[in-house]
Structure formats: C-alpha cells, structure tokens
Amino acid sequence: MKLLLPIIFLLCLSANAQQDHEFTIYFDSDADVPTEASKAALAEWMESNKNAGIHTISGYTDTIGNTEYNRRLSIRRIQYLIFRLNAGYMRKKWKMMSYGETQYTSGTDAENRKAVITYTKQQKTVTSGLTQLFKEARAGEKIILRDINFVGGTSFIVEESKPILKELYIIMRDNPKLKIDIQGHICCSADDTGDLSKRRAMEVFVYLHSNGINGDRLSYRGFGGSKPMHKIPERNKEEMAENRRVEIEILAN
C-alpha cells in the first residue's frame, strides 16, 4: 500500500497544475449512487457549468470494508458520474482516479464517501460562425461544415476538426426541436468506392448521438461525387476541398 502513495501524490500534483475548481458529490455508506442532496447539487452544477472543462473525476471511500472492495466501490461512484456527464462534456480529456480508501481526508467517514470533479470553470466556447448560420437557417436549407476534414481516403475525422463538431453538438443540445440530415460528399470521382461519403456522414452522426443527441433528430446519407460544387475532375486543390464536404440539411427547427 505504501508504495502506491508517492505515485498517487505525483498524479495529484500533475492534475492540480491544470485545474482551479473542485465540485464534490457525497454518497451514503456502501452506495454508488449519491445522496439525494448531492443529486440535486449535481443537477444544479451541470446546469450552471455546461461549458466547464473537466480534467479529473476522483472516487473515494471510507475505511469500512477491505481495500479491494473499496477500490471497486470508488470505481462505481466514478461510473455513475460518467453516465450523468457523458452528454455534455469533452470526455476524452478526463482522467479517472480510483483511490478507494488509499487516500482520504482527516474528516468523518461521511466526508470521505465522495467523488470529486476537478474542472476549469466556464470555458469560453470559440465559435466559427456556425451558430449564427443555424439561427438564420430555415427548414430545407443546407449548411456546409467547412472545417470538418478527414484523413485522406478514410472516414477518420482529424483532431483539428473537433472544435466544429463540439459547436455542432452545442447547437443541437441547445435547440431541442432541431432535426438535421447529415450529408457526405467526396471529390475527384463520381465513383464512391467503399461508400466513403456515407461513412464520413455517419462519423458526424455517431459523434452527436454518442454525446446524447437523440437519434430521432438525426439522419445521414452519402452522395458520393454525384453532387459536386465544381465539375469533376477539379482544376485545383481548392475545388477538391469544396467538393469533399459535409453538409447539414435542416429538416425541422
């Protein structure tokens, strides 16, 4: 047990260098669901911190029970929060720290039965103008996601495109009546080998749906190279980039 303490201490130092706020949720003895008071506090925190940048979720227990049982109990407490938070936050940046009884405060057992979210408060969302386009659009109109790019010849979205996906998610989250059709297009050839345009549109669908947007509000399809903005073969890289696009058709708003 003692051998773990220096590692845990270093991990905490590394995390604290990046965070400036903590939110604590409390649990009853042997429970992996928060107390009723903490459930209400969590709902209020989520409503007030929709754009928070979460860095770590740490689980703790009291010292009742054996060490391994308490380690698993702290994991279940973390998993409860993952389920609640998964829809609105950038999960890929989270660290899960399951401490069980190996690190606890000097307070009472009730104070040690907890999970702690460390976060950057109210991160400012940088918009690309997409939000304004959606505000002005009507049913039947189309919006091009100009900053969505893929690894060449694949449906893998490049890391630099993640902010525009996040913005699209926020638009869908904040406009619950909005329904869209995600449409993929390719460049360079009318022949869509491997249904690439559809798979690229599906990647956007999967991102939105996995982050909590109801599938009834989303559809997707691929048009291959059948609806180019510029005649194929294109004359330059700029025309290729404009043909190789993802469009959003507004179905209802």
Side-chain angles (χ1 to χ4, degrees):
M1 186 72 65
K2 291 181 180 178
L3 292 175
L4 293 175
L5 293 178
I7 298 173
I8 293 171
F9 179 68
L10 287 173
L11 287 170
C12 288
L13 284 178
S14 174
N16 287 335
Q18 301 177 49
Q19 296 109 35
D20 57 359
H21 289 81
E22 289 187 350
F23 178 73
T24 302
I25 301 96
Y26 294 99
F27 298 77
D28 286 326
S29 179
D30 201 31
D32 52 19
V33 174
T35 63
E36 290 303 314
S38 278
K39 280 184 184 178
L42 176 61
E44 184 178 342
W45 180 87
M46 290 175 65
E47 182 62 28
S48 301
N49 293 273
K50 290 181 178 179
N51 295 319
I54 295 176
H55 301 292
T56 63
I57 302 176
S58 304
Y60 305 83
T61 68
D62 54 34
T63 56
I64 301 171
N66 65 56
T67 301
E68 178 57 22
Y69 179 84
N70 285 336
R71 183 187 70 81
R72 283 189 234 154
L73 177 59
S74 68
I75 290 173
R76 296 202 305 274
R77 288 172 175 173
I78 291 171
Q79 288 172 333
Y80 173 89
L81 291 177
I82 290 173
F83 177 79
R84 288 296 308 276
L85 297 171
N86 189 45
Y89 301 88
M90 294 298 283
R91 182 176 173 183
K92 66 173 186 170
K93 295 182 179 179
W94 301 357
K95 292 180 182 177
M96 314 302 167
M97 312 294 282
S98 171
Y99 292 113
E101 65 180 53
T102 64
Q103 186 183 72
Y104 49 89
T105 66
S106 57
T108 64
D109 281 342
E111 291 171 327
N112 291 327
R113 294 191 289 265
K114 64 184 180 181
V116 178
I117 299 171
T118 52
Y119 65 100
T120 301
K121 191 173 182 179
Q122 292 295 334
Q123 279 189 335
K124 195 171 184 181
T125 302
V126 178
T127 62
S128 65
L130 188 65
T131 301
Q132 188 60 36
L133 288 175
F134 271 87
K135 283 182 180 179
E136 297 171 355
R138 297 292 177 264
E141 295 181 355
K142 294 183 181 181
I143 296 171
I144 299 174
L145 298 184
R146 296 193 180 278
D147 295 319
I148 295 290
N149 295 304
F150 301 84
V151 176
T154 77
S155 59
F156 296 112
I157 299 172
V158 300
E159 192 66 25
E160 292 77 14
S161 295
K162 295 300 173 66
I164 198 71
L165 280 179
K166 177 68 173 178
E167 187 176 352
L168 178 59
Y169 159 74
I170 292 171
I171 292 167
M172 296 296 296
R173 182 196 68 191
D174 294 347
N175 296 274
K177 294 182 179 179
L178 181 60
K179 295 183 179 181
I180 62 172
D181 185 46
I182 306 160
Q183 301 174 0
H185 304 264
I186 61 171
C187 71
C188 313
S189 172
D191 183 17
D192 189 4
T193 305
D195 217 4
L196 181 58
S197 63
K198 184 176 180 179
R199 288 191 288 115
R200 286 178 170 175
M202 184 177 69
E203 284 295 315
V204 178
F205 170 91
V206 168
Y207 174 86
L208 295 171
H209 188 45
S210 65
N211 279 287
I213 303 302
N214 194 309
D216 291 342
R217 299 171 57 200
L218 307 168
S219 58
Y220 66 91
R221 41 186 176 150
F223 289 99
S226 65
K227 294 189 176 183
M229 295 178 67
H230 303 281
K231 186 177 179 181
I232 297 175
E234 297 86 352
R235 294 174 297 178
N236 50 50
K237 290 183 179 179
E238 288 74 20
E239 290 188 354
M240 289 179 184
E242 291 187 353
N243 279 348
R244 186 178 58 244
R245 68 198 188 277
V246 174
E247 293 180 334
I248 303 296
E249 181 175 351
I250 309 297
L251 301 181
N253 57 2

